[in-house]
Amino acid sequence: HPLLDALEAAVGDAGGEVLEMEPALLAKVTGKDNPQAVAGVFAEFDTTLDTLDRSSADIWLVAQALRDPGNLGTMLRTGDAVGAGGLILVDDCADPFSVEAVRASMGALFTQRIARAPWEEFHAWLRQGEGETGGQLVAASLRDAVPYRGAPYTAPCFVMVGNESRGLPEAYEMACDLRVTMPMKGRADSLNLAQATAIMTYEAWRQRGFA
């Protein structure tokens, strides 16, 4: 296929190695019964906060104690869709380079910056930027929160969600510049974490004219 020829040429030009194998062997390598035609092996990225340029994007995603790699990958896809700068993982989170997270990202792993840091380090980094805060920290919360629609999102906006079952610690929420809530009509106690992230980030993007 012409695309495969181009891919192989690009890998060779970058100093990589191309290996051809039988479908049965590729299935074992990828752990899938019906693997796609190509699989890649890459070195893990540098995930320190110093690699991020907060001025490079108006929206950033932040997850604290995120445990589900599927949610992590979905958040990366959302970040790609809204043109976010990347995803910052705070405290003990799922591995963004795990098989499950990589699959769920559907390639967004390569379009979004990823950083990992404990809360204290992240909060200090956020507040040391230019201006008063270096960025607006927004949390999904029920504590003194305003409706997510029409809330005053400002750039760079860091949209933060907490652990799937416990949410954000109260101290983290109170350290945010803005806390927003989403209406719910059903009986479930909360939205899926990745869905809530998408709703908030699309509203922040909408306010900027989808630019």
Side-chain angles (χ1 to χ4, degrees):
H1 193 285
L3 289 178
L4 289 180
D5 293 338
L7 178 60
E8 290 185 11
V11 171
D13 292 342
E17 184 179 6
V18 177
L19 301 175
E20 295 183 7
M21 59 185 65
E22 295 295 324
L25 182 56
L26 184 61
K28 291 185 178 180
V29 170
T30 61
K32 300 193 69 174
D33 294 333
N34 56 341
Q36 298 182 8
V38 180
V41 179
F42 302 87
E44 292 187 5
F45 312 138
D46 184 349
T47 58
T48 59
L49 288 172
D50 292 339
T51 64
L52 302 184
D53 176 9
R54 75 186 75 198
S55 66
S56 64
D58 290 339
I59 299 174
W60 295 80
L61 307 184
V62 184
Q64 187 269 336
L66 177 66
R67 303 309 304 161
D68 187 339
N71 279 335
L72 195 160
T74 302
M75 288 182 67
L76 287 171
R77 292 180 66 182
T78 296
D80 177 80
V82 302
L87 172 63
I88 302 172
L89 301 172
V90 174
D91 295 337
D92 185 20
C93 289
D95 181 6
F97 303 110
S98 68
V99 172
E100 297 86 353
V102 172
R103 285 178 180 167
S105 78
M106 293 296 289
L109 178 73
F110 298 100
T111 69
Q112 295 287 286
R113 302 292 302 181
I114 298 175
R116 294 184 278 192
W119 165 254
E120 293 78 10
E121 181 182 342
F122 163 70
H123 191 250
W125 172 84
L126 181 70
R127 300 312 188 193
Q128 72 183 6
E130 296 181 1
E132 294 183 358
T133 65
Q136 180 194 43
L137 188 57
V138 180
S141 172
L142 296 177
R143 296 185 178 97
D144 300 320
V146 299
Y148 83 98
R149 289 294 301 272
Y153 302 94
T154 60
C157 178
F158 291 78
V159 177
M160 182 168 67
V161 292
N163 177 266
E164 288 91 341
S165 60
R166 300 187 304 273
L168 285 166
E170 181 176 0
Y172 293 20
E173 289 189 12
M174 300 312 295
C176 291
D177 304 297
L178 176 66
R179 291 178 291 277
V180 299
T181 185
M182 285 159 278
M184 292 182 59
K185 191 174 182 179
R187 297 182 180 180
D189 60 355
S190 65
L191 283 172
N192 170 267
L193 178 145
Q195 290 178 323
T197 302
I199 290 171
M200 289 190 294
T201 52
Y202 264 87
E203 172 61 14
W205 187 30
R206 183 194 67 82
Q207 290 187 16
R208 309 195 68 77
F210 293 114

